Amino acid sequence: MSKADGMKYAPKGKPNKVVEEGQFIISAVSLDHGHIYGMCNGLIEAGAVLKWVYDPDPARVEAFIRQYPQARAAASEEQVLSDPEVQLVAAAAITSERGPLGVRVMRSGKHYFTDKAPFTTIEQLEDARTAYSETGKKYAVYYSERLHVESAVFAGQLIEQGAIGRVVQVIGLGPHRLNAGARPAWFFEKEKYGGIICDIGSHQIEQFLYYTGNQNAAVVNSKVANYANKEYPELEDFGDMNVVGDNGATGYFRVDWLTPNGLGTWGDGRTLILGTEGYIEMRKYIDIAREADGDQLYLVNSDGEQHMKLGGKVGFPYFGQLILDCLNGTENAMTQEHTFKAAELSLLAQKNAVRVE
């Protein structure tokens, strides 16, 4: 049922572009994951200019330049890092290499924007904290399940407007389709991908902190398993965790690689947010057996029931805010402590997870 007409909560689109051409120069290195395209798209839509691309695999560079013909192929990572015009480097390296690459980028005098998960060890996180404190350069993370999904962006706006009162619980469901045959070898090596909670779970922890307004939380328990993919002994195809924030809000999250082939998209990602005066449900990528479109949001509070289709109506303000933060030394897109805390909690949940199968 849709009762959107006449209600006070409605999406308002925002322009994504915040700078004129030439004011913010970016480059891309390490194209190991396809998320690099979403990262670059968001920054370019906000006004960034893409100058260089580098990867040791010429085929990946060629494919990238077909998508972004304005980019020039660099001969080395060093050519990118030594270019004084480049202000930010975006990267989607093998997960275990993201932290060390970020430290090199920051120490070269540039901001860093990495795919999630940003680290695979606490030691990498601490190295990045040190680099940030010594250079002042940002270590930004592409937590795309909130930052690049319009229903998730609007959910934050609803909470800020008081639509559901105080947030007391967040439930996050992050199922993914494995597509094992299309995955690179490193995807199945735990030392390189970090574990399922470290990887997909970092999205969920970040959303919990953001929607509940917490700066810190404690992991109560966490579990991992390999239920259906025994031929890949280092793969974890299931993980879950419980957390409690410093303000008393609780969270439960489940992530998995068990999406069946019959689903019309790669995963039925959902987030449910309970407040003292209402609740929100996001069906981010599909509304199963009803509509193929994602970005479906359901809101229930004292005003009634509302169903909103948000694709193309909200925009992605994070990317423009990140550019302005880099230029102005502000923290409006995401604070550095929030970025690091989400990574820290997912690493701790992964490290202490009970293996159930």
Side-chain angles (χ1 to χ4, degrees):
M1 180 181 293
S2 177
K3 298 184 178 181
D5 293 343
M7 298 188 71
K8 64 181 180 180
Y9 301 108
K12 296 180 179 179
K14 294 183 178 180
N16 292 329
K17 189 172 181 179
V18 298
V19 292
E20 296 304 316
E21 184 171 346
Q23 288 185 276
F24 195 73
I25 310 297
I26 67 171
S27 293
V29 301
S30 296
L31 315 179
D32 293 279
H33 198 290
H35 283 169
I36 191 67
Y37 291 91
M39 298 161 69
C40 290
N41 285 346
L43 291 167
I44 291 168
E45 288 169 1
V49 173
L50 179 60
K51 183 174 182 180
W52 296 108
V53 56
Y54 172 73
D55 189 276
D57 184 342
R60 287 202 290 246
V61 172
E62 183 180 349
F64 187 88
I65 291 177
R66 282 199 299 269
Q67 181 72 25
Y68 305 107
Q70 70 271 38
R72 288 182 276 167
S76 65
E77 177 187 300
E78 179 56 32
Q79 184 175 7
V80 177
L81 299 189
S82 62
D83 185 342
E85 286 191 341
V86 176
Q87 292 150 288
L88 178 145
V89 172
I94 293 170
T95 314
S96 59
E97 299 174 6
R98 291 170 186 170
L101 173 58
V103 170
R104 294 196 299 274
V105 170
M106 297 161 80
R107 294 200 181 281
S108 75
K110 305 180 191 316
H111 302 286
Y112 180 58
F113 184 34
T114 180
D115 190 16
K116 67 79 214 154
F119 313 102
T120 54
T121 69
I122 290 290
E123 291 75 19
Q124 290 177 354
L125 169 60
E126 292 309 314
D127 288 345
R129 287 188 191 273
T130 299
Y132 169 68
S133 67
E134 293 177 354
T135 68
K137 297 302 178 182
K138 296 186 182 300
Y139 192 110
V141 178
Y142 184 53
Y143 291 118
S144 58
E145 288 189 16
R146 181 176 68 82
L147 305 177
H148 225 163
V149 175
E150 288 180 284
S151 58
V153 173
F154 188 57
Q157 296 172 5
L158 287 171
I159 291 167
E160 186 177 355
Q161 295 173 51
I164 61 171
R166 174 191 171 192
V167 175
V168 297
Q169 187 189 47
V170 177
I171 296 175
L173 305 177
H176 288 61
R177 181 175 289 136
L178 183 59
N179 285 334
R183 301 287 180 178
W186 65 263
F187 179 87
F188 301 98
E189 299 174 34
K190 189 171 180 181
E191 184 178 357
K192 292 183 178 179
Y193 79 88
I196 193 168
I197 296 177
C198 167
D199 180 21
I200 309 175
S202 62
H203 281 300
Q204 307 299 332
I205 285 286
E206 191 280 327
Q207 289 172 90
F208 169 79
L209 294 173
Y210 176 76
Y211 290 131
T212 62
N214 271 292
Q215 296 181 352
N216 195 18
V219 178
V220 178
N221 56 60
S222 52
K223 304 184 293 295
V224 296
N226 184 348
Y227 287 123
N229 294 279
K230 307 299 187 187
E231 66 272 33
Y232 304 107
E234 295 186 41
L235 179 70
E236 295 165 351
D237 61 18
F238 176 91
D240 72 359
M241 57 187 146
N242 286 277
V243 297
V244 178
D246 281 358
N247 66 8
T250 70
Y252 171 78
F253 314 105
R254 188 205 80 214
V255 291
D256 66 76
W257 291 104
L258 300 173
T259 291
N261 290 334
L263 186 72
T265 189
W266 56 267
D268 183 18
R270 300 193 184 200
T271 305
L272 296 90
I273 306 172
L274 176 65
T276 54
E277 299 173 25
Y279 60 90
I280 292 168
E281 179 182 348
M282 287 170 266
R283 302 180 185 181
K284 294 181 177 179
Y285 309 113
I286 192 170
D287 198 354
I288 57 168
R290 289 164 54 90
E291 296 188 40
D293 292 339
D295 278 315
Q296 309 272 342
L297 184 145
Y298 295 83
L299 167 66
V300 181
N301 60 12
S302 59
D303 294 324
E305 308 162 21
Q306 192 169 358
H307 170 211
M308 287 171 274
K309 302 177 182 180
L310 295 165
K313 297 179 180 178
V314 181
F316 308 108
Y318 169 81
F319 299 94
Q321 291 170 348
L322 175 60
I323 289 173
L324 293 176
D325 285 347
C326 292
L327 291 173
N328 301 326
T330 51
E331 289 197 313
N332 295 315
M334 185 183 296
T335 69
Q336 191 62 72
E337 183 52 36
H338 176 96
T339 303
F340 284 153
K341 182 57 65 173
E344 176 187 330
L345 291 170
S346 63
L347 288 167
L348 291 173
Q350 181 70 57
K351 179 180 179 181
N352 298 320
V354 175
R355 181 72 179 240
V356 296
E357 183 171 328

